[in-house]
């Protein structure tokens, strides 16, 4: 049973499932999720045990040994919003990293489309060159037959030989390009292309360029990422300012110590102790460190704002360029169709005139070459038009598994986040986290 032809959707699905780049950035996102857990943990008690052992020697060569074991706990009771700002900032970074993952997924799907169209174009170019070799082989034989009866000279035969050799070289180059594109397809999807089906109908696009740009500003992941990064930078300024505020913390501890009751009898006694306390502290002078950190945060905020503006402009530019590429490809296809029609008519006419002796072999070869080049240009223009549509979808932020309706399960970034955002520590939460890791194939 012959293998089913692979569609563009099949290629994209294979790329999405195969991509190590996507896996890499999913891990980056999970690391960002853990930053939220770490920020949440700052508001929880810190419990630690401390064991001490000491020895001292007196003038009478008496050694005094003491041991103690303590369990201490401390908790930040109030820090004027500093910890909460850290949590909010970490959450904004998570949202920014999620958008970065979407951008990577878009690039992977676009690379898949590029590999698909490149392979199809290379296959068509090979078929075109093979057909040209067959046509020129017949032309060369016809020239030889005419030379044998004295109608043309050996120069005409040599011209046919040269054109045939050049076309065979072009066929070899086309086969080489096909192998290169097959390797690129393998790198993107994890498998070599066997049989590619015809591309689907072109995706529907906005009616106007301005509408496409407006969609891009609302949905492009790079713009959304820059917006989240700017929000995180704003929070960073407030967090840096909050570092000057006091901190109220509570402490508690229990312990037991063992030491000699007297230096002479060598008997040891144990003492139990417990303590609770409150501590309020504030940095009065830090040598300018806090002020420098605040100024740095403001500079980073300005950087994030400028980055957002620059990203929005770049996205708008990319939409405009891709829109223009679509118009150019359409115009090229229309013009090339007219060129092919005229070149075909000219080629047929020149061949007939050559049979009557009114045209030379060189005229026939030139006409055939013009027709070949026009057909090759049409293949390239049609491939460019199809690819440009998907490039525009990517420029608008719409080249996603959901929008393309590929019908496969997608990675849920909130699953891992929800499992770790509260800094799980108990065995029940740990088991839940293990299940999440196994579900996403990371454990």
């Amino acid at each position: 049973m012959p293998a089913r032809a692979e569609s563009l959707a099949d290629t994209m699905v294979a790329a999405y499932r195969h991509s190590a780049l996507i896996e890499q950035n999913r891990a980056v996102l999970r690391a960002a999720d853990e930053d939220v857990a770490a920020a949440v943990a700052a508001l929880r008690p810190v419990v630690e045990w401390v064991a001490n052992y000491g020895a001292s020697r007196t003038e009478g060569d008496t050694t005094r040994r003491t041991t103690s074991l303590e369990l201490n706990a401390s908790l930040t009771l109030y820090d004027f919003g500093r910890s909460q700002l850290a949590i909010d900032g970490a959450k904004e970074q998570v949202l920014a990293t999620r958008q970065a993952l979407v951008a990577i997924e878009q690039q992977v799907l676009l690379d898949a489309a590029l590999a698909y169209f490149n392979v199809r174009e290379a296959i068509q170019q090979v078929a075109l060159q093979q057909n040209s070799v067959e046509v020129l082989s017949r032309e060369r034989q016809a020239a030889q037959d005419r030379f044998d009866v004295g109608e043309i000279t050996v120069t005409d035969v040599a011209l046919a030989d040269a054109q045939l050799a050049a076309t065979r070289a072009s066929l070899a180059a086309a086969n080489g390009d096909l192998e290169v594109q097959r390797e690129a397809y393998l790198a993107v999807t994890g498998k070599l292309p066997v049989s590619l089906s015809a591309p689907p109908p072109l995706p529907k696009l906005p009616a106007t360029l301005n509408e496409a740009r407006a969609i891009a500003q609302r949905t492009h992941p790079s713009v959304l990422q820059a917006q989240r990064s700017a929000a995180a930078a704003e929070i960073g300024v407030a967090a840096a300012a909050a570092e000057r505020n006091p901190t109220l913390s509570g402490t508690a501890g229990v312990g037991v110590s063992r030491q000699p009751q007297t230096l002479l009898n060598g008997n040891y006694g144990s003492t139990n102790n417990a303590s609770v306390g409150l501590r309020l502290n504030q940095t009065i002078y830090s040598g300018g460190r806090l002020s420098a950190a605040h100024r740095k945060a403001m500079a980073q905020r300005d950087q994030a704002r400028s980055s957002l503006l620059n990203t929005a402009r770049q996205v708008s530019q990319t939409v405009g360029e891709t829109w223009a590429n679509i118009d150019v490809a359409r115009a090229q296809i229309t013009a090339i169709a007219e060129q092919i029609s005229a070149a075909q008519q000219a080629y047929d006419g020149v061949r007939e005139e050559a049979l009557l002796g009114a045209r030379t072999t060189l005229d026939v070869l030139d006409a055939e070459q013009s027709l070949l080049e026009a057909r090759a240009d049409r293949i390239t223009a049609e491939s460019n038009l199809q690819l440009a549509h998907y490039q525009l979808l990517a420029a608008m932020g719409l080249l996603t598994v959901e929008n393309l309706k590929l019908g496969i399960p997608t990675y849920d970034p909130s699953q891992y986040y929800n499992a770790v955002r509260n800094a799980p520590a108990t065995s029940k939460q740990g088991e839940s986290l293990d299940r999440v890791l196994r579900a996403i194939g990371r454990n």
Side-chain angles (χ1 to χ4, degrees), residues 34 71 119-120 145 184 291 370 434:
E34 297 292 355
L71 184 65
V119 170
R120 279 189 50 83
D145 293 342
S291 297
S370 296
D434 289 340

Side-chain angles (χ1 to χ4, degrees), residues 152-173:
I152 59 175
T153 68
V154 69
T155 303
D156 295 298
V157 178
L159 287 171
D161 285 336
Q163 187 65 36
L164 178 58
T167 304
R168 284 173 174 163
S170 297
L171 174 59

Side-chain angles (χ1 to χ4, degrees), residues 317-338:
Q317 178 185 352
T318 302
V319 171
E321 291 174 349
T322 311
W323 189 278
N325 289 339
I326 292 176
D327 290 340
V328 169
R330 285 173 176 165
Q332 284 180 329
I333 291 173
T334 301
I336 292 173
E338 297 175 357

Side-chain angles (χ1 to χ4, degrees), residues 78-82 85 236-248 280-298:
Y78 190 64
D79 61 3
F80 295 85
R82 194 159 57 241
L85 287 170
V237 173
E243 288 294 326
R244 295 188 173 95
N245 295 332
T247 299
L248 177 63
L280 180 66
N281 67 292
Q282 181 179 16
T283 301
I284 298 176
Y285 178 71
S286 63
R289 178 181 60 83
L290 295 180
S291 297
H294 192 200
R295 292 192 300 270
K296 178 181 178 180
M298 289 190 290

Side-chain angles (χ1 to χ4, degrees), residues 28-311:
V28 171
L29 176 56
R30 293 195 295 273
D33 292 342
E34 297 292 355
D35 288 338
V36 176
V40 169
L43 291 174
R44 293 180 176 174
V46 175
V47 181
E48 60 181 0
W49 62 266
V50 180
N52 291 313
Y53 171 81
S56 60
R57 191 177 184 85
T58 63
E59 292 182 1
D61 293 331
T62 300
T63 300
R64 181 180 183 183
R65 295 179 177 85
T66 60
T67 58
S68 66
L69 180 64
E70 298 177 356
L71 184 65
N72 298 322
S74 62
L75 173 65
T76 299
L77 300 176
Y78 190 64
D79 61 3
F80 295 85
R82 194 159 57 241
S83 297
Q84 186 58 52
L85 287 170
I87 295 172
D88 294 341
K91 288 181 178 179
E92 290 295 337
Q93 289 295 350
V94 166
L95 296 175
T97 309
R98 287 184 184 181
Q99 293 302 324
L101 176 59
V102 174
I104 292 296
E105 292 175 347
Q106 279 207 149
Q107 187 58 54
V108 168
L109 294 178
L110 184 58
D111 289 343
L114 177 62
Y116 172 87
F117 288 122
N118 282 348
V119 170
R120 279 189 50 83
E121 179 185 350
I123 292 173
Q124 291 174 311
Q125 294 288 5
V126 167
L128 181 64
Q129 294 296 336
Q130 286 176 336
N131 180 71
S132 181
V133 167
E134 294 172 1
V135 170
L136 284 173
S137 295
R138 293 193 294 268
E139 292 288 347
R140 195 273 174 203
Q141 185 60 50
Q144 182 65 48
D145 293 342
R146 294 176 65 192
F147 172 74
D148 291 342
V149 298
E151 292 184 4
I152 59 175
T153 68
V154 69
T155 303
D156 295 298
V157 178
L159 287 171
D161 285 336
Q163 187 65 36
L164 178 58
T167 304
R168 284 173 174 163
S170 297
L171 174 59
N175 277 313
D177 182 62
L178 175 57
E179 289 305 311
V180 170
Q181 300 306 331
R182 282 167 54 84
E183 290 298 325
Y185 189 98
L186 172 63
V188 171
T189 65
K191 58 184 179 179
L192 288 169
V194 178
S195 175
L196 300 183
S197 63
L202 295 176
K204 185 178 180 181
L205 301 179
T208 65
L209 173 58
N210 287 336
E211 184 179 349
R213 281 180 166 148
I215 292 174
Q217 296 300 319
R218 294 195 305 268
T219 62
H220 197 283
S222 294
V223 174
L224 300 180
Q225 179 187 359
Q227 289 174 347
R228 292 298 183 180
S229 296
E234 292 284 355
I235 295 173
V237 173
E243 288 294 326
R244 295 188 173 95
N245 295 332
T247 299
L248 177 63
S249 57
T251 60
V254 294
V256 58
S257 61
R258 186 169 179 268
Q259 57 186 347
Q261 292 179 334
T262 69
L263 295 179
L264 298 177
N265 58 22
N267 295 326
Y268 284 81
S270 296
T271 303
N272 298 326
N273 59 77
S275 64
V276 294
L278 291 175
R279 180 185 179 188
L280 180 66
N281 67 292
Q282 181 179 16
T283 301
I284 298 176
Y285 178 71
S286 63
R289 178 181 60 83
L290 295 180
S291 297
H294 192 200
R295 292 192 300 270
K296 178 181 178 180
M298 289 190 290
Q300 290 173 332
R301 176 196 60 192
D302 295 341
Q303 175 191 358
R305 289 174 176 175
S306 298
S307 178
L308 171 58
L309 178 60
N310 188 54
T311 300

